[in-house]
Amino acid sequence: MPAGANDARGRVAELHAIREQVRRGPSERATEAQRAKGKLTARERIELLLDEGSFNEVEPLRRHRATGFGLEAKKPYTDGVITGWGTVHGRTVFTYAHDFRIFGGALGEAHATKIHKIMDMAIQAGAPLVSLNDGAGARIQEGVSALAGYGGIFQRNTKASGVIPQISVMLGPCAGGAAYSPALTDFVFMVRETSQMFITGPDVVRAVTGEEITQNGLGGADVHAETSGVAHFAYDDEATCLEEVRYLLSLLPANNRENPPTVPCEDPADRSGDALLDLVPADGNRPYDMRKVIEEIVDDGEFLEVHERWATNIICALTRLDGRVVGIIANQPQSLAGVLDIEASEKAARFVQMCDAFNIPIVTFLDVPGFLPGVDQEHGGIIRHGAKLLYAYCNATVPRISLVLRKAYGGAYIVMDSQSIGADLTYAWPTNEIAVMGAEGAANVIFRKQIAEADDSEAMRVRMVKEYKSELMHPYYAAERGLVDDVIDPAETRHTLIRALEMLRTKHADLPARKHGNPPQ
């Protein structure tokens, strides 16, 4: 007998029909409109993020229960957000993706409840959470219920902070209070032209200040990657962006109780870095590209730079040494001579905290002339911002190794993970200069009277500079006083770091019992 609508086969057929409807989405017209903007659908994005065939959807049949303003006549499945879990490189990852084709991806009560559930599942399972953001903010028709939904998301973002990796991928608009969820996560990815983030849009800015600006000019990917520092990564297209998210996940542990994944390494641990002798000029006033130094030392020359285009005077990168993940923080002499300023301090401090939260050892490369002087810096709070980096290093319990390549002057030397603030091991190259300040400035202060009274003041100044350097700034001064554990041949840097990290792999350090610290803001 043919299957009837009320028997088991009929019910299964009905289920498959509904599932197909859910998979297709609201309409072809809505899908075409999404693609006309140069954007993928939510399901296409999930397919690019997760391993093929690994996605398990949660609550695909969920519908809202709101009434009024025509909502009772429009109750699409999923309620505008797709939630679930799958794998990335075989490891479990949870995700949710706004479906802009349904209510513009706007958040309502049912929509928010789905996100809350998947966030709770990720925290309980101890697995990363990736949000694929493409929504128009709170669903106005649902009023304060929608706003409360955002509160629940923020609360869970904070609860998950430092427990599981949280990654926000901006693939469309994100305005108003909705922008605070990505800001609470560990990493923010953006796609040029199609994604924007701002608290108040161009229309409000125009009405309040009279300033004319486009959405991308106000909160586009390049603005947040270069100027505000809100975005850690920016890419030209969604496929590249999501592939880089997969790469980042391969460098992170599933949660704070695990170590990052180790991979087989064919790059010899004892490989000599002879090129380093030519990459770094002995003259401390000559610039060079610190990225090339990092490439020469790490496995196969590969690393993922975080905040590459913001605060370019410092480099923060995830990479591997002998197959094990490490975080690298390095001054960049090519930009502002590698000085520390407000933005560099904030960038490095957040990176240190992330590494410490997720059991990633930290290696610091120093070539720093000091903090950037200036009225803007002082009035902008360089003291409290610089203290953020100091606090982050002092609070970190993961293995910490510092390496002085050339200059390490004044307070910046102390802040950049010196031995005195808890670095486990400190090495230096024979080109190092560790001092309170540069020899010229120091001589001008200490020998001011002798220089002023000399018949040939310039000759006296040159002689005093030379004397100061020979007495207090020679390459072995800090090592002789135990402030540097060893002065090493630059060519042996890779092997030295790998052996030291292997020894420190079982390091255990406890912080004082406390609810939490009160870091400088």
Side-chain angles (χ1 to χ4, degrees), residues 235-480:
Y235 299 99
D236 290 330
D237 60 85
E238 294 188 17
T240 303
C241 179
L242 291 168
E243 184 58 38
E244 289 300 295
V245 173
R246 288 174 57 86
Y247 178 46
L248 173 59
L249 285 166
S250 75
L251 296 167
L252 299 174
N255 56 64
N256 65 340
R257 300 183 302 276
E258 297 183 7
N259 291 321
T262 301
V263 299
C265 179
E266 297 181 0
D267 192 349
D270 59 354
R271 170 174 55 80
S272 179
D274 297 314
L276 293 170
L277 297 169
D278 301 315
L279 284 175
V280 181
D283 181 357
N285 294 319
R286 289 179 57 193
Y288 61 94
D289 189 354
M290 183 65 83
R291 289 188 184 89
K292 293 183 178 179
V293 174
I294 297 171
E295 286 176 3
E296 182 63 27
I297 294 171
V298 303
D299 292 356
D300 303 310
E302 293 183 0
F303 62 92
L304 178 64
E305 188 169 351
V306 178
H307 271 144
E308 179 180 357
R309 295 158 60 199
W310 180 61
T312 55
N313 41 323
I314 201 160
I315 295 171
C316 298
L318 290 170
T319 186
R320 284 189 169 92
L321 282 169
D322 200 30
R324 299 185 184 277
V325 177
V326 298
I328 289 182
I329 297 168
N331 306 110
Q332 173 56 296
Q334 268 193 343
S335 178
L336 295 175
V339 297
L340 285 178
D341 60 4
I342 288 172
E343 292 185 344
S345 299
E346 288 193 335
K347 170 179 169 178
R350 185 94 196 287
F351 187 76
V352 169
Q353 289 172 172
M354 186 280 300
C355 289
D356 188 49
F358 294 117
N359 307 313
I360 299 172
I362 300 168
V363 177
T364 304
F365 294 163
L366 285 86
D367 192 344
V368 59
F371 283 94
L372 180 64
V375 174
D376 288 345
Q377 288 290 306
E378 295 295 345
H379 288 186
I382 184 63
I383 294 172
R384 61 186 174 85
H385 289 286
K388 292 179 185 179
L389 180 55
L390 180 60
Y391 187 99
Y393 269 126
C394 291
N395 204 46
T397 60
V398 292
R400 291 156 47 193
I401 300 173
S402 60
L403 172 68
V404 181
L405 279 64
R406 293 194 313 187
K407 304 181 298 296
Y409 294 161
Y413 153 64
I414 299 297
V415 168
M416 289 287 291
D417 207 18
S418 62
Q419 189 177 99
S420 60
I421 67 168
D424 297 296
L425 289 166
T426 302
Y427 297 105
W429 286 0
T431 47
N432 81 82
E433 290 183 357
I434 304 174
V436 174
M437 63 175 69
E440 288 78 7
N444 288 337
V445 173
I446 298 171
F447 307 110
R448 181 188 297 111
K449 186 176 180 181
Q450 294 94 315
I451 293 172
E453 294 175 351
D455 293 334
D456 187 342
S457 59
E458 181 58 25
M460 175 63 74
R461 192 186 69 82
V462 170
R463 186 161 71 86
M464 292 298 98
V465 167
K466 185 176 180 181
E467 181 179 327
Y468 183 85
K469 279 188 172 181
S470 65
E471 288 293 323
L472 297 177
M473 291 182 65
H474 62 80
Y476 308 102
Y477 184 84
E480 289 170 359

Side-chain angles (χ1 to χ4, degrees), residues 216-231:
N216 282 320
L218 182 64
D222 288 327
V223 168
H224 287 312
E226 295 178 10
T227 305
S228 72
V230 170

Side-chain angles (χ1 to χ4, degrees), residues 122-123 126-127 158-166 186 253-257 357-358:
I123 295 169
T158 305
K159 181 180 178 181
S161 181
V163 178
I164 58 171
Q166 297 180 86
D186 300 302
N255 56 64
N256 65 340
R257 300 183 302 276
F358 294 117

